[in-house]
Amino acid sequence: MQPTVLIPAVIGDASQPLFAKAGINVITVPTVDAATLVQYGQQADGAILGLEPIPEATFAKTPRLKILARLGVGYNNVNPTVAKEHGVIVSITPRANYNTVAEGILAMIFVLGRNLMASNRAIMSGHWLAVRANGGHDILGQTLGIIGYGRIGRALEEKAAALGMKILVNNGDHPKQPHFGQLVDLPTLYRESDFISLTPRVTPQTTGMINKDTLALMKPTANLINYGRGQLIVTDDLVAALKHHQIHAAALDAFDPEPLPADSPLLQLDNVFLTPHVAGGTIEANARAVHDATEEIIRVLSGHAPLWAVNA
């Protein structure tokens, strides 16, 4: 029987020629979520997965499923251990967007550091001179704290070092020697950094790691950039810190929950830059992710070992 794969409509036709060449049938669905997987549970051998949460109970209702290929590197929306118990491989696309995310973080360093949000608001409202006295700071010589020293952290370190920034690195319980920066403990990183970038995995240790206690350690001029996951931050504590100017500003691309609720107090602040979880979503990165996820599914359904499984 010809194997069948579910793909979300958002990726278009990019994967279909590769699947057709491999003799794999494709069903395009609005989104690959738990309900869709159960709906096609008697047909689907694999699926390309985005950010939709897949409850553990889903796997008991998808007897043919062999692989979920995640677009991106995070997989906190699916439990790989439970998936493995049901014979389902969970894979990621680690080559696709790590540099893209690092570029996005670097862009936010400039936006926050040069006070560009306030400058934009001033000129849009006709107040030409309103922020001329506060054009922000040079990036050269500023200290960047990188929490999470995986592919994204290393790419960011290289780019920031080229700009003359001082780099501090913390990788939690798995310390790695930085190429350009200095390995430090978290309290030191919080106290000394002008910019703090969050890209660690979501674990019991990192969940809520940015809270009222850790925010209290930061400089009043510090800028927080979360291009990792929303669960890393206690949102109410960050809102309070931004509202009372306990830190200078924040740039957030990930939230808990998602989508960001329409009544979120973050939307009322003028010192936060918000984007809808698109840090790794350039045209080029999306194309790489779709290609690599497609190839991973073809490998598995052809009886070969996956390259980027997180639970095999």
Side-chain angles (χ1 to χ4, degrees):
M1 181 183 296
Q2 188 180 33
T4 296
V5 170
L6 304 180
I7 65 171
V10 69
I11 70 174
D13 299 328
S15 65
Q16 298 211 28
L18 292 172
F19 281 130
K21 184 177 179 181
I24 295 173
N25 181 48
V26 171
I27 299 176
T28 301
V29 295
T31 185
V32 175
D33 55 15
T36 304
L37 286 171
V38 172
Q39 178 184 350
Y40 291 95
Q42 300 301 321
Q43 298 171 257
D45 299 280
I48 293 179
L49 179 65
L51 292 167
E52 293 76 16
I54 306 301
E56 297 174 3
T58 306
F59 297 107
K61 303 172 184 177
T62 54
R64 291 179 57 90
L65 194 63
K66 298 178 180 65
I67 177 171
L68 287 175
R70 254 284 290 137
L71 297 171
V73 294
Y75 51 92
N76 58 304
N77 57 327
V78 57
N79 187 323
T81 302
V82 174
K84 183 177 181 179
E85 292 171 359
H86 289 269
V88 178
I89 291 169
V90 176
S91 70
I92 57 176
T93 54
R95 303 185 306 184
N97 66 7
Y98 70 91
N99 186 72
T100 307
V101 176
E103 288 181 354
I105 297 168
L106 193 65
M108 290 303 101
I109 289 173
F110 281 97
V111 167
L112 302 183
R114 296 294 300 270
N115 212 24
L116 296 181
M117 289 188 297
S119 294
N120 177 260
R121 283 194 302 271
I123 196 169
M124 295 293 284
S125 60
H127 298 95
W128 178 263
L129 297 176
V131 292
R132 291 286 296 276
N134 183 10
H137 299 276
D138 288 346
I139 303 305
L140 176 69
Q142 296 285 300
T143 298
L144 169 63
I146 298 175
I147 302 176
Y149 193 62
R151 291 178 180 86
I152 296 170
R154 288 193 296 271
L156 176 61
E157 178 199 26
E158 180 179 351
K159 298 175 192 306
L163 294 171
M165 299 188 78
K166 177 183 177 182
I167 315 294
L168 304 178
V169 171
N170 184 282
N171 199 50
D173 294 335
H174 302 282
K176 301 176 185 177
Q177 188 58 44
H179 293 295
F180 300 98
Q182 177 186 357
L183 191 66
V184 297
D185 58 36
L186 279 175
T188 299
L189 187 148
Y190 290 137
R191 284 194 298 265
E192 298 186 7
S193 296
D194 300 297
F195 300 88
I196 296 172
S197 169
L198 300 176
T199 54
R201 286 180 54 195
V202 176
T203 68
Q205 290 73 38
T206 62
T207 297
M209 67 186 304
I210 302 300
N211 53 55
K212 61 182 180 181
D213 295 325
T214 53
L215 287 161
L217 297 176
M218 299 178 192
K219 301 177 181 180
T221 54
N223 300 278
L224 179 69
I225 303 171
N226 184 16
Y227 271 34
R229 289 292 185 265
Q231 292 89 342
L232 302 171
I233 294 176
V234 179
T235 302
D236 289 346
D237 292 354
L238 177 61
V239 168
L242 291 168
K243 184 180 294 186
H244 297 103
H245 301 284
Q246 186 178 342
I247 64 172
H248 174 251
L252 308 176
D253 185 61
F255 308 92
D256 184 25
E258 291 185 354
L260 184 68
D263 61 350
S264 171
L266 287 168
L267 298 170
Q268 308 304 317
L269 300 173
D270 61 6
N271 56 345
V272 63
F273 191 97
L274 307 174
T275 50
H277 210 138
V278 293
T282 62
I283 293 170
E284 294 83 1
N286 287 338
R288 287 190 295 267
V290 170
H291 178 274
D292 287 357
T294 300
E295 291 282 9
E296 190 80 322
I297 290 176
I298 291 171
R299 273 189 288 273
V300 170
L301 298 188
S302 300
H304 300 293
L307 294 182
W308 302 300
V310 299
N311 64 344

